[in-house]
Amino acid sequence: MAGPSWHYVRPIERLKATSIIVIAKLRKLRGVLPIAWLLALSACSEVVLNNPYPREEWRANVLYSSFAERPKHLDPARSYSSNEYAFIGQIYEPPLQYHYLKRPYELIPLTASRMPRAEFYDAHDRPLAPDADPERIAYTLYTIEIRPGIRYQPHPAFARDAQGRLLYHRLTPEELAHIDSLADFAETGTRELVAADYVHQIKRLAHPALHSPILGLMSEYIVGLGELARRLREAPRGEFLDLTRYPLEGARVLDRYRYQIKVRGRYPQLLYWLAMPFFAPMPPEVERFYAQPGMQERNLSLDWYPVGTGAYMLTENNPNRRMVLVRNPNYRGMPYPAEGEPGDAERGLLADAGKTMPFIDKVVYNLEKETIPYWNKFLQGYYDTSGISSESFDQAVQIGSQGEITLTPEMRDKGIRLLTTVATSIFYLGFNMKDPVVGGLSERARKLRQALSIAIDFEEFISIFANGRGIAAQGPIPPGIFGHRDDFNPYVYEQRDGQRRRKSLDEARRLLAEAGYANGMDQRTGKPLTLYLDITASGPDDKARLNWYRKQFQKLNIQLVIRNTLYNRFQEKMINGTAQIFIWGWNADYPDPENFLFLLYGPNGKADHRGENAANYANPEFDRLFEQMKNMDNGPERQAIIDRMVDIVRRDAPWVWGFHPKRFGLYHAWYMNAKPNLMAHNTLQYRRIDPGLRFEQRQQWNRPVWWPLGLFLGLLVLGTLPAIYTYWRKEHRPPARQEGV
Amino acid sequence: MLAYIVRRLLYAVPILIGVNLLTFLLFFVVNTPDDMARMQLGMKRVSEEAITNWKQERGYDKPVIYNAEAEGVERFTETIFFQHSVRLFVFDFGRSDSGRDIGHDIAERMWPSLAIALPTFVIGILVNITFALLMVFFRATYVDLWGVVLCVILMSISGLFYIIGGQYLVGKVLHLVPISGYDDGINAIKFVILPVLIGVISGIGSGTRWYRTIFLEESGKDYVRTARAKGLSELQVLFRHVLRNALIPILTGAVVVLPLLFMGSLIMESFFGIPGLGSYTIDAINGQDFAIVRAMVFLGSVLYILGLLLTDISYTLVDPRIRLQ
């Protein structure tokens, strides 16, 4: 059979011929190739392939951050968690704020023109002196004066037509048909912030559909708030609830820029609440705008699109992907503080003193559910700051022989800085004081708890499970809060060799024996003592943690049974007071000792009063002192009472005091004015970045590496060649001759 | 065929009611309306009054499945089950317990899921079939042997390893694509490349082995011997005859998953920051958002039934002998 002649050319000869042709063609192009190569290189010099952001943002003044979980609420009447405050803290402006640099934390005016002063009155409306006996104070008036000229962010709710009528307050279904987000409204408007907006927001705390978490607490203090809540609940359902028609005695407008809050008795902690978004202004027309039919169906609500006077406004809210804050064009601008605490100037924190804030134009929060991609992107320069997860701990920091924590050389080479701070939080192991074995104020139960407090070595816990990121707590009040003392708990620690050391296990065993459980045996029943830890645990990390707890109890020959339940059942046990030992925590709402000591106040017990005293601890002496201390001004007298209270709870040991976590933050060299502030919510405007330096670093750190890809392709081709040869042989082998044919 | 399709769709109704009932019972065995309220309202300073109000507003204050205090048919209709289920059958998913419109969220999140799942599916099938055919072509040679070994190795590696390894190698070491993220339109390509590549590679082991088995079984049949006897090349035999006749088992596995593609992949989307539907149900379970859970389970069931129906229809397209009656 005749065929094309190339069938008879050997493959190697064909390859040779092809190579000659290609080389000849390349020779013709030799003058052009270097130029093309240079052009390609120059074109590529700015090209970084792994930059996840749009090219126009590469050199822009944009800060990149992330969120792992979508915020549940952005309505200031409902929002009550730190991940939500990260957003609304930049948008809403309550009358007060915390000084960014000063420590201890100091309240200063934000939209208020000066700090509100408390005026005390007795039951006959007669004014009282500031140092009046608290028993005589029937109510307190706080007059808040706001600065004129503060304007809201541009928003369609404020847009007006030529006649001055609100444009988008009578939207028809046809008009709404083309609306999918706020950006779809052609017009926006603004208006000046007035005192009535603050009063309106205080009324919103009583709105039945908003379920404000602080309604219960504030009803105890703000005159008439509880009554307003009752009236609003009786209002017809399904209709827009116009709060402007409902007066509130405890919050009233005095004039355009002044309003007054009336609280029962004396409640100095109100000032701290006035620095939280719960007391931020809310324009009534914005509420009406969002209440129109058809808005909810488009997910257009106040809970999703906040409206404020702050430095930033939320322009994109896609919690499945990203949330974007953009500089509010109507923001008045605030000067960067000119003073801080000692050392701030040396750390460069006063370099921007007096400059107008905010410094950053736009902040992009991307959804990053996993820590590993986030960490890698931080190292590539695509995130400006990072925490340190357990996976990246060893790569980020190293612990010296004296326990000092420093950055690894890799981090230092990148110019990354480490800032640490002790959180105003506490994690503890609590005893249910209603439990017949571990609870109660009897000497037997107290000694059992004290013995356990010695045996459970939280220093070891911090070292193993928190990579050393925490300090063992000596009482309920964390460092940085008035009332905290740098002493130690004498019931758990002792001074040995000039150092604070945990008491020996022999001491714990002695206490245990005195409690009637010598060597872990109940002397009354003759049976081994078994205790129960109620917990919700599911992950592999939890297993190690639970084993650790078992071992701690085992030190005293006490058997610990882990009652691992679902979260809901655990909550039920806590509410019903049927748990025995549990792990709990608290994060400060405001920097006042009352916010921690109330966790042990008897009338605040969880089982009986649905309060936050999870241990159901009730000591009449402690309760009496708490009532005395809670409304006092900070000073030596208050400190003395706190010292007595702390001593009582240290002795009673309703909690094994656990630890205060230490927060580690990593910051790139281009990130300025970084100073952890655990109380302030509007910190973003203080931050500054150097986009030029960031761009250069990113380019340097992220050059594409091609050669492994070439190598892989080469190996693939080499690996395929024998297969092609096999195929060629199979297709062209002559038919096998059979023997004898 | 139309009668067959209508009949199958009618069969789906009791199945969907059953699935819905089962989801409902399982959810409320674990969670009570009080738990749901506490989860939505937060754990700090929540009063009993707020919990009661929350339940009233969303209709969770009614009996779960049987209202003994009501009269007549209302004993069944004035219940959480009825009130929260009946609208599903007209695809009105309502609002989530946190207040978002579920239909709107699904419509928004399905596209990123599809952007990953569809190319992974199509490229994966093409690659797997090609590799499987090549292994059959080179059967009993070193290519086949090492191909099978490689497939077993690929099958033995955890999916998470592919993701973390892929991100590390391609994104972190070689700097060729972003490690994670997403963008709209054409800009999505650079974010989609790596997850699709990882999705395809992680599926090669099992996919290729499965198709190889099908093709090997097919290639031993008489019509293949006849084709070879006619003088057709091995490539022609495989790609023109064997592949065509092996389509029924391929379709059985492929078409049924087609409608489910838009439900997304939990781990892949989580690691790559893809704003898809993959984590929607899990997040809802964690957040005790029953409205989303029932909507997503219902939708999953509908799509699965639809997938099975499409599979049956596709049989008639590839094998003219099959008639749906």
Side-chain angles (χ1 to χ4, degrees), chain A residues 265-278:
Chain A
R266 198 170 184 271
Y267 186 50
Q269 285 82 13
L270 181 75
L271 292 183
Y272 295 119
W273 287 105
L274 290 180
M276 293 174 79
F278 289 116

Side-chain angles (χ1 to χ4, degrees), chain A residues 51 70 72 80 213 233 296 299 304 320 368-370 377 380 568 589 612 703 705 722 727 730, chain B residues 31 39 44-45 49 95 98 100-101 109 137 142 171 174-175 180 190-191 270 275 279 283 288:
Chain A
N51 192 327
R70 81 169 175 83
K72 271 186 191 164
Y80 198 15
R233 270 199 298 276
Q296 281 282 336
N299 289 330
W304 216 244
N320 308 322
E368 289 283 0
K369 289 194 167 187
E370 303 296 332
K377 281 163 88 172
Q380 290 178 335
N568 292 335
D589 290 315
E612 298 298 339
R703 289 194 187 111
V705 182
Y727 167 69
K730 205 171 172 180
Chain B
N31 309 292
M39 185 59 90
K44 253 176 143 179
R45 302 183 194 270
E49 207 174 351
R95 312 187 69 74
S98 61
R100 298 269 298 170
D101 188 86
R109 295 175 72 145
F137 179 76
Y142 81 97
L174 304 183
H175 305 141
S180 68
K190 67 176 173 184
F191 296 103
S270 191
S279 60
D283 287 348
Q288 297 183 15

Side-chain angles (χ1 to χ4, degrees), chain A residues 119 121-123 125 137-142 199 202-203 205-206 214-231 246-252 260-267 270 279:
Chain A
E119 296 165 42
Y121 293 86
D122 67 9
D125 299 332
I137 298 172
Y139 63 92
T140 310
L141 286 182
Y142 287 93
V199 171
I202 295 172
K203 289 180 191 171
L205 300 177
I214 64 163
L215 173 64
L217 177 76
M218 285 302 146
S219 295
E220 288 174 27
Y221 293 104
I222 297 178
V223 178
L225 193 67
E227 174 57 28
L228 176 67
R230 271 188 292 279
R231 272 190 292 146
Y246 291 84
L248 171 62
E249 189 191 343
R252 58 193 189 99
Q260 204 167 53
I261 300 176
K262 184 178 179 182
V263 296
R264 286 191 193 91
R266 198 170 184 271
Y267 186 50
L270 181 75
F279 286 84

Side-chain angles (χ1 to χ4, degrees), chain A residues 457-459 462 470-475 484 487 493 500 502 657-660:
Chain A
D457 186 350
F458 264 103
E459 283 86 354
I462 295 164
I471 57 167
Q474 303 299 314
H484 172 85
D487 59 356
Y493 297 88
R500 185 190 80 191
R502 188 171 281 273
W657 297 104
F659 67 103
H660 308 296

Side-chain angles (χ1 to χ4, degrees), chain A residues 596-644:
Chain A
F596 282 90
L597 293 171
F598 93 118
L599 300 172
L600 293 159
Y601 179 52
N604 201 20
K606 194 172 258 311
D608 294 335
H609 308 282
R610 299 288 185 265
E612 298 298 339
N613 177 357
N616 301 302
Y617 174 68
N619 181 316
E621 172 70 358
F622 181 90
D623 292 349
R624 190 184 59 77
L625 290 169
F626 177 80
E627 281 156 20
Q628 200 180 335
M629 175 281 307
K630 68 174 182 179
N631 293 336
M632 287 173 78
D633 291 323
N634 288 342
E637 202 185 337
R638 197 181 197 207
Q639 180 69 59
I641 295 175
I642 291 168
D643 289 346
R644 280 166 63 196

Side-chain angles (χ1 to χ4, degrees), chain A residues 14-295:
Chain A
R14 266 190 285 139
L15 188 68
K16 208 189 269 178
T18 314
S19 308
I20 290 165
I21 294 165
V22 171
I23 290 166
K25 283 188 176 171
L26 283 176
R27 273 181 185 162
K28 283 183 190 170
L29 290 171
R30 67 186 165 188
V32 185
L33 272 177
I35 298 165
W37 178 244
L38 278 175
L39 277 174
L41 265 185
S42 62
C44 292
S45 66
E46 278 214 348
V47 172
V48 166
L49 296 173
N50 65 351
N51 192 327
Y53 307 123
R55 203 183 171 90
E56 59 272 16
E57 282 185 5
W58 287 10
R59 291 170 190 266
N61 188 12
V62 181
L63 181 78
Y64 295 97
S65 188
S66 78
F67 61 101
E69 199 182 328
R70 81 169 175 83
K72 271 186 191 164
H73 301 293
L74 297 178
D75 185 326
R78 310 177 75 174
S79 176
Y80 198 15
S81 68
S82 54
N83 71 324
E84 294 160 0
Y85 280 10
F87 297 99
I88 65 168
Q90 324 308 325
I91 299 164
Y92 287 110
E93 289 190 302
L96 306 181
Q97 64 175 333
Y98 290 94
H99 195 284
Y100 180 59
L101 298 175
K102 285 185 183 173
R103 302 290 182 277
Y105 294 105
E106 185 185 318
L107 277 178
I108 55 169
L110 178 57
T111 57
S113 54
R114 57 175 173 268
M115 287 298 288
R117 235 190 29 235
E119 296 165 42
F120 305 116
Y121 293 86
D122 67 9
H124 305 289
D125 299 332
R126 285 178 304 214
L128 296 169
D131 57 349
D133 177 9
E135 294 294 315
R136 288 186 60 207
I137 298 172
Y139 63 92
T140 310
L141 286 182
Y142 287 93
T143 304
I144 298 135
E145 186 178 331
I146 56 165
R147 294 170 210 231
I150 296 173
R151 301 192 76 76
Y152 281 99
Q153 66 179 75
H155 194 275
F158 300 119
R160 289 176 186 270
D161 60 15
Q163 284 76 43
R165 287 178 303 217
L166 289 163
L167 255 180
Y168 300 122
H169 280 244
R170 289 176 192 278
L171 290 169
T172 60
E174 292 74 37
E175 286 171 315
L176 264 173
H178 309 289
I179 302 295
D180 204 38
S181 73
L182 286 182
D184 296 330
F185 288 96
E187 301 293 329
T188 59
T190 182
R191 75 157 168 81
E192 191 186 27
L193 168 72
V194 291
D197 299 339
Y198 283 100
V199 171
H200 188 75
Q201 169 67 4
I202 295 172
K203 289 180 191 171
R204 291 183 79 242
L205 300 177
H207 197 300
L210 294 179
H211 311 290
S212 178
I214 64 163
L215 173 64
L217 177 76
M218 285 302 146
S219 295
E220 288 174 27
Y221 293 104
I222 297 178
V223 178
L225 193 67
E227 174 57 28
L228 176 67
R230 271 188 292 279
R231 272 190 292 146
L232 292 177
R233 270 199 298 276
E234 287 159 12
R237 290 278 166 110
E239 288 175 22
F240 173 62
L241 206 48
D242 186 359
L243 295 177
T244 55
R245 293 183 183 170
Y246 291 84
L248 171 62
E249 189 191 343
R252 58 193 189 99
V253 179
L254 299 181
D255 57 39
R256 187 172 172 82
Y257 300 116
R258 288 190 313 144
Y259 67 103
Q260 204 167 53
I261 300 176
K262 184 178 179 182
V263 296
R264 286 191 193 91
R266 198 170 184 271
Y267 186 50
Q269 285 82 13
L270 181 75
L271 292 183
Y272 295 119
W273 287 105
L274 290 180
M276 293 174 79
F278 289 116
F279 286 84
M282 181 57 65
E285 63 265 44
V286 168
E287 208 176 28
R288 265 199 303 274
F289 168 81
Y290 282 120
Q292 295 178 88
M295 297 293 258

